[in-house]
Amino acid sequence: MTSELVRKEPSSLTNLNPDEQPSIFWKFRQIFEADWCTERKIYWYDVRFNRTRLWQVTKLDRESKTQDKLLGIFPGEPDLDVLKLAIGGANWERILTGVRWEIYSDFACSQLVAMGRFDIIDLMSTDRAKLERIYRSDIVGVKTSITDWDFDGIFRTHICPICNKAYSQDLLMFIPSWMKCNNCGFSLSDDRGRCSNLIKVLLSRLVRSNEFHFPVKDKDNIPVAIQLIDVLPTPLIAYVIGEILDGLPLSQSYDLGIGMTHQDLTTCLEMSIFNKIRIPIIRDGFIDFVSTYFDEQITHYKNGGHLPKIPMPGTNDDEHRQYLTHDWQDMKQRFIDETMLLSNLADWFLGREITSTDEYHEASFFKGALSNFAYNLETMIELLWQEKKGGMP
């Protein structure tokens, strides 16, 4: 069992080998470590008659354990590895990026025992022999498919369904048109049936993911910008609206064609950044944060920074520098314009009242703005990783 999981888990998608440079997946996992998660699921245990009972808190103002959810009863004294596996098993088929688990040893949840993010690394024992014993004893059910431990939606979207090799390893966000396997040549965008099925699976997992979340108590050390990043809802709804529905609003999408329901799409959109940036202060903060990256590039070339190795034919260095400066300025302005437009996407797509920029309420404008928007989230991951790295000892 353990060898199967280890074999199927691509190291470049989760761990960093000594001879590897940090990948987008490594950076993503670091910024979403438990200490920077903004939401939490709360668990606690007690011991009765030489049995350990694991509970999940379902409401913060509960008054008795009868209001909590009993997840399992296990023989003997508390075993943290068993409890973590049980928590993983209770959350299979959910997307939980930005959510951490917390285990306490008391009903009041004042004695923290352990916490971590929802992934195979933090939930599975590092003792492979012990893990095998737990699996064989059937104390707690342990699934061996890597996709059952895919709480970020990364394994399912970045492992080739044909040859099981990791692909698109430089692209974290789910953009089917870019998902092509370098090993066997499989292209997700060329297989409509498989792509449709994958989208249905991801949407259904998102719909089931919002149960029993609570805000982290102390967010003083967590950058506000991290609350605007998600690796699945935003790029997924952007692809569905922009590519599958051709930029049309929900009211005109009569035949979704791939088994999606209106509720699935509404839930996904409401979990995405497009719903958050409807609020002006959040939208402006998002623009300011990402603009930092563009400003750095503009300043770099303006002040004589190093030019790319590949020169522009027929131009000297000064002309090349001027071109790159203007190009980054144009990209920054395009990002700002598209963000302003997409702050109206949720209202427009769901048929709510729109009060501004009527000239943009055409499918072609939204489709164009959505086409590459997921890349802005990857830029945020890079900036946040630099911030976190700067604060590391």
Side-chain angles (χ1 to χ4, degrees):
M1 186 276 296
T2 55
S3 61
E4 181 181 4
L5 284 175
V6 172
R7 178 176 58 81
K8 285 189 176 180
E9 180 188 359
S11 63
S12 55
L13 298 187
T14 52
N15 293 315
L16 184 68
N17 295 327
D19 58 342
E20 290 180 328
Q21 292 298 313
S23 67
I24 187 67
F25 297 91
W26 172 253
K27 296 173 182 178
F28 154 74
R29 190 183 186 281
Q30 281 204 319
I31 69 169
F32 278 111
E33 285 180 324
D35 63 327
W36 271 18
C37 285
T38 58
E39 299 286 318
R40 59 188 180 134
K41 287 196 167 191
I42 307 171
Y43 304 88
W44 65 280
Y45 63 81
D46 62 2
V47 181
R48 189 175 184 183
F49 305 123
N50 197 34
R51 293 181 177 224
T52 299
R53 300 186 299 180
L54 178 64
W55 305 81
Q56 180 178 6
V57 175
T58 60
K59 55 188 298 187
L60 291 179
D61 59 350
R62 88 261 205 254
E63 297 179 351
S64 73
K65 66 179 64 176
T66 59
Q67 295 175 278
D68 292 341
K69 182 178 181 180
L70 180 62
L71 289 187
I73 302 175
F74 311 102
E77 293 297 309
D79 186 322
L80 189 56
D81 288 329
V82 170
L83 298 181
K84 290 193 297 183
L85 289 172
I87 289 172
N91 288 280
W92 284 323
E93 300 185 342
R94 287 170 172 79
I95 303 298
L96 296 169
T97 299
V99 184
R100 74 187 186 202
W101 50 265
E102 300 175 354
I103 301 178
Y104 295 84
S105 60
D106 61 321
F107 170 78
C109 297
S110 60
Q111 303 297 320
L112 180 66
V113 176
M115 73 176 184
R117 75 186 305 272
F118 279 91
D119 65 16
I120 193 172
I121 298 173
D122 282 6
L123 286 169
M124 186 170 286
S125 173
T126 56
D127 185 338
R128 299 300 179 184
K130 181 180 180 181
L131 181 61
E132 194 71 39
R133 289 196 301 273
I134 295 173
Y135 173 69
R136 299 298 177 191
S137 67
D138 204 28
I139 296 173
V140 58
V142 180
K143 293 190 177 183
T144 60
S145 171
I146 193 65
T147 56
D148 290 317
W149 297 87
D150 193 15
F151 302 106
D152 296 304
I154 289 178
F155 293 132
R156 188 172 287 276
T157 56
H158 289 77
I159 294 179
C160 178
I162 304 301
C163 67
N164 286 325
K165 299 289 186 181
Y167 68 152
S168 295
Q169 295 182 46
D170 58 346
L171 181 68
L172 177 64
M173 304 300 168
F174 176 57
I175 307 177
S177 56
W178 287 80
M179 298 297 176
K180 185 170 183 178
C181 181
N182 293 328
N183 182 60
C184 69
F186 170 76
S187 173
L188 189 60
S189 60
D190 292 340
D191 191 331
R192 181 174 175 83
R194 200 181 296 269
C195 183
S196 299
N197 184 63
L198 176 56
I199 291 174
K200 285 191 292 183
V201 169
L202 296 174
L203 284 172
S204 66
R205 290 193 170 194
L206 284 173
V207 169
R208 290 194 292 268
S209 298
N210 278 332
E211 190 178 46
F212 308 141
H213 287 200
F214 305 105
V216 168
K217 285 183 179 180
D218 185 4
K219 295 184 180 180
D220 290 344
N221 69 317
I222 304 175
V224 175
I226 203 169
Q227 300 181 52
L228 296 177
I229 298 180
D230 61 76
V231 296
L232 200 57
T234 296
L236 181 58
I237 197 65
Y239 180 79
V240 171
I241 296 176
E243 298 297 326
I244 296 178
L245 304 183
D246 204 30
L248 294 173
L250 188 59
S251 61
Q252 297 181 34
S253 304
Y254 301 111
D255 183 10
L256 301 182
I258 60 172
M260 299 178 295
T261 69
H262 285 194
Q263 185 57 52
D264 290 340
L265 295 182
T266 299
T267 300
C268 187
L269 180 56
E270 289 176 346
M271 294 173 68
S272 75
I273 192 175
F274 304 121
N275 192 46
K276 298 172 186 174
I277 60 176
R278 293 171 58 217
I279 304 171
I281 191 171
I282 296 178
R283 179 197 64 213
D284 295 344
F286 172 65
I287 289 175
D288 289 345
F289 188 84
V290 178
S291 291
T292 300
Y293 174 72
F294 293 102
D295 290 338
E296 288 176 353
Q297 303 303 316
I298 293 168
T299 300
H300 172 80
Y301 292 118
K302 268 188 175 181
N303 295 342
H306 180 69
L307 291 170
K309 291 182 179 179
I310 302 176
M312 289 185 64
T315 63
N316 57 38
D317 284 354
D318 288 340
E319 292 171 333
H320 191 190
R321 188 178 307 283
Q322 186 177 30
Y323 169 81
L324 290 171
T325 300
H326 289 314
D327 191 44
W328 279 102
Q329 289 172 333
D330 290 343
M331 285 192 290
K332 176 184 176 181
Q333 189 58 52
R334 185 164 60 250
F335 158 71
I336 294 173
D337 293 342
E338 290 178 347
T339 301
M340 295 297 294
L341 170 63
L342 291 170
S343 66
N344 290 320
L345 178 68
D347 291 330
W348 179 80
F349 184 69
L350 298 178
R352 298 169 178 150
E353 183 180 356
I354 303 296
T355 58
S356 61
T357 59
D358 290 339
E359 67 272 19
Y360 286 121
H361 297 163
E362 297 292 338
S364 59
F365 286 97
F366 282 109
K367 182 177 180 180
L370 287 168
S371 62
N372 291 313
F373 195 76
Y375 290 113
N376 295 315
L377 301 183
E378 300 221 356
T379 297
M380 291 183 71
I381 289 176
E382 176 67 32
L383 292 172
L384 283 166
W385 180 71
Q386 293 290 346
E387 180 176 336
K388 187 159 195 179
K389 185 176 67 169
M392 291 177 182

